[in-house]
Amino acid sequence: MDTQPEATPAAVPLQAKQAGEVRLRWIWTEPSVWTERMLTALEYGVKGGVWFSLMDKVYSAANLQAGFGSVQANGGAAGVDHVKIDDFAKDLEANLDKLARALWRGTYQPQAVRRVYIPKPDGTQRPLGIPTVRDRVVQTALRHVLEPIFEQDFAEHSYGFRPGRGCQDALRRVDQLLKSGHYHVVDADLKSYFDTIPHERLMERIRSKVVDGRVLHLLEQFLTQGVLDGLKEWTPDEGTPQGAVISPLLANIYLDPLDHLLAEQGLAMVRYADDFVILCRTPEEAQRALALVQQWTTQVGLTLHPTKTRLVDIRKESFEFLGYHFERTKSGINHWPKKKSLDKLKDTLREKTKRTNGSALQIIIIHVNRTLRGWFGYFKHSLKTTFAPIDRWVRMRLRSILRKRSGRRGRGRGADHQRWPNAFFAKLRLYSLVEAHRMACQSS
């Protein structure tokens, strides 16, 4: 029998290496869905540019299990069926099997979304939809399948609800553009965006890449599932509910053509979900950008807020984006938390530092520190002068507690600063924003 040298199959390690590199580029994808073969097809393109036969990947046991894991990690309240995450987990295998069978047979029906209202700083209320746990599991499994297909072609300047991207990346880009002379800003606001996305036009965008009829039907079911608002139930004919797992992806899909349109026109847009700014070098360029956005939104059934959308020259005016206030100062263009962001922080801390709080001071400080650390993690890039006033305010709140406990009335002031000096709170490990900022500057 003839023998061949065993050196010839060298292509196998090369293929393995290439496959490994593909996996690294898509490390965030759900591995039970996006195998090496699927990821390679994603990068090199599929026949006709559209994806068939995806439904079996939605209802696979491993994907549903991963979907529940994500839902459990995110937490959240029960939906209209009053089933909590812990309740669903008690008989997890049977519940996931039941979902898989219903999806396979085509008998799955989403339950109504429970609507609640979240107060906004301006006194209005933001509607939020809470799907049932079972529906959140299915939506997560569906997102695992669809997200990479659309993520592949999303524009570079879109940062909201995308893997490996976040608010800080968007803010960093805005800061870079301002410092490079893009002083003219289109500060845009889409009026009730999530509630006004036209269903049929959205489905057209999805059908341009996905032609699995069962997946498309499942998406349509989620878009038209009932909404239970108190005792009133109704079926939406437009929009995708804020709070639904699949909504951020759908919102990005619908705005993606606008992203590419502005990029093709050479305009520097920075978008986070429905919140975006366009930074330009001249007022004429800003006016052209706004006209393009106005024309596009009208064509696709969306509306720019008439009073909140405006043109800003940062050398004369300020604007706000993703919780930050941007303004020109003597030292240049700077940013710090907008007033609503500071008010929200103080409201949270007030609840934790009431004078009637009966917990030990060390326990109160632990809860205060948790809030301060989280807030600093987002706002640490603010102007240096932001932090000292907040530190003083927090210490005043804590001195007021100690003052009441020692039989005195009123806020902590005057001699209280000597009675309980800053070093007293430092010894109790009170988190200092000033010190945290100093350390962050040193490390950077």
Side-chain angles (χ1 to χ4, degrees):
M1 182 174 63
D2 294 333
T3 59
Q4 295 282 337
E6 294 189 4
T8 50
V12 176
L14 178 60
Q15 290 173 351
K17 180 181 177 183
Q18 290 173 340
E21 290 171 352
V22 171
R23 170 58 67 191
L24 278 175
R25 286 193 291 272
W26 296 90
I27 193 69
W28 54 270
T29 58
E30 170 52 41
S32 68
V33 174
W34 290 94
T35 62
E36 304 286 3
R37 179 172 170 273
M38 287 271 289
L39 289 174
T40 301
L42 181 66
E43 289 207 345
Y44 287 94
V46 291
K47 187 176 181 181
V50 293
W51 290 80
F52 298 84
S53 304
L54 294 172
M55 191 62 181
D56 61 314
K57 296 166 181 61
V58 174
Y59 62 68
S60 73
N63 190 20
L64 289 175
Q65 179 73 49
F68 174 75
S70 178
V71 170
Q72 188 176 44
N74 290 331
V80 296
D81 60 357
H82 306 292
V83 175
K84 299 177 182 177
I85 294 173
D86 290 344
D87 299 329
F88 193 89
K90 287 176 183 176
D91 200 6
L92 182 60
E93 187 175 346
N95 285 329
L96 294 182
D97 184 63
K98 186 178 179 181
L99 278 180
R101 289 178 181 275
L103 290 165
W104 173 62
R105 291 171 178 162
T107 58
Y108 171 82
Q109 288 288 336
Q111 295 171 284
V113 171
R114 180 166 68 89
R115 173 155 284 191
V116 297
Y117 292 89
I118 308 299
K120 294 171 67 174
D122 61 5
T124 61
Q125 292 186 314
R126 182 191 302 278
L128 185 67
I130 302 179
T132 60
V133 174
R134 69 189 282 274
D135 290 342
R136 301 207 296 266
V137 170
V138 174
Q139 286 193 20
T140 305
L142 181 59
R143 192 194 71 208
H144 287 166
V145 172
L146 294 179
E147 189 170 26
I149 294 172
F150 292 92
E151 176 66 28
Q152 170 82 339
D153 297 319
F154 278 163
E156 180 64 26
H157 56 253
S158 164
Y159 296 91
F161 306 106
R162 293 183 59 190
R165 291 163 171 256
C167 289
Q168 294 294 346
D169 301 300
L171 292 164
R172 192 176 298 112
R173 179 61 178 154
V174 170
D175 190 50
Q176 290 170 349
L177 289 166
L178 289 171
K179 288 177 178 176
S180 65
H182 292 72
Y183 298 139
H184 300 274
V185 182
V186 181
D187 184 7
D189 186 281
L190 288 170
K191 188 176 180 180
S192 303
Y193 172 61
F194 279 83
D195 292 331
T196 58
I197 300 174
H199 287 173
E200 184 50 40
R201 286 174 175 168
L202 172 62
M203 291 305 299
E204 284 177 13
R205 303 249 167 95
I206 295 167
R207 283 193 287 266
S208 68
K209 289 178 178 287
V210 175
V211 293
D212 185 320
R214 291 190 296 170
V215 167
L216 295 172
H217 176 64
L218 182 60
L219 268 174
E220 289 171 337
Q221 284 183 298
F222 283 126
L223 287 173
T224 57
Q225 67 188 120
V227 176
L228 186 63
D229 191 347
L231 297 177
K232 179 185 175 184
E233 185 172 354
W234 52 279
T235 302
D237 54 12
E238 62 180 2
T240 178
Q242 295 187 59
V245 176
I246 200 72
S247 290
L249 173 61
L250 299 180
N252 275 334
I253 290 172
Y254 200 65
L255 286 180
D256 186 57
L258 175 62
D259 296 343
H260 288 286
L261 171 65
L262 294 176
E264 290 163 5
Q265 294 291 320
L267 295 166
M269 178 192 199
V270 181
R271 181 171 72 80
Y272 191 96
D274 59 330
D275 197 0
F276 64 91
V277 288
I278 307 166
L279 296 100
C280 307
R281 291 190 177 274
T282 65
E284 293 77 18
E285 187 180 50
Q287 290 166 355
R288 180 171 68 90
L290 178 57
L292 270 173
V293 174
Q294 289 171 328
Q295 181 182 19
W296 186 86
T297 52
T298 301
Q299 290 174 346
V300 301
L302 299 176
T303 305
L304 284 174
H305 200 291
T307 58
K308 294 182 180 179
T309 300
R310 62 199 184 105
L311 297 177
V312 174
D313 183 341
I314 192 62
R315 296 167 296 183
K316 302 174 184 177
E317 303 170 87
S318 62
F319 71 95
E320 294 175 347
F321 184 58
L322 298 181
Y324 273 88
H325 176 93
F326 290 82
E327 187 175 328
R328 185 182 185 180
T329 65
K330 290 181 180 179
S331 60
I333 298 172
N334 287 295
H335 52 275
W336 54 86
K338 67 179 186 180
K339 184 179 182 300
K340 290 179 182 178
S341 301
L342 285 171
D343 290 345
K344 186 176 179 181
L345 170 68
K346 288 187 174 183
D347 286 344
T348 302
L349 290 172
R350 281 190 185 98
E351 285 296 312
K352 297 183 176 185
T353 57
K354 290 181 177 179
R355 292 177 216 176
T356 54
N357 192 320
S359 300
L361 187 63
Q362 291 91 335
I363 301 299
I364 295 173
I365 287 176
I366 287 172
H367 293 301
V368 167
N369 285 353
R370 189 175 297 127
T371 297
L372 290 173
R373 281 195 183 94
W375 187 87
F376 181 76
Y378 187 79
F379 288 106
K380 62 186 174 184
H381 300 293
S382 299
L383 194 64
K384 180 182 178 180
T385 54
T386 299
F387 305 107
I390 303 172
D391 278 348
R392 288 194 295 268
W393 185 85
V394 171
R395 288 192 295 266
M396 179 275 293
R397 296 286 301 180
L398 295 175
R399 287 186 180 109
S400 298
I401 294 174
L402 293 170
R403 184 179 175 86
K404 181 175 176 59
R405 291 179 181 181
S406 61
R408 296 175 176 85
R409 294 181 179 180
R411 297 190 306 171
R413 60 184 184 272
D416 294 335
H417 290 265
Q418 286 74 46
R419 190 175 291 111
W420 301 293
N422 294 355
F424 170 81
F425 296 107
K427 191 174 181 180
L428 290 174
R429 298 182 181 275
L430 175 65
Y431 189 80
S432 167
L433 295 173
V434 169
E435 181 62 19
H437 183 255
R438 186 183 67 82
M439 296 294 291
C441 289
Q442 282 184 356
S443 64
S444 62

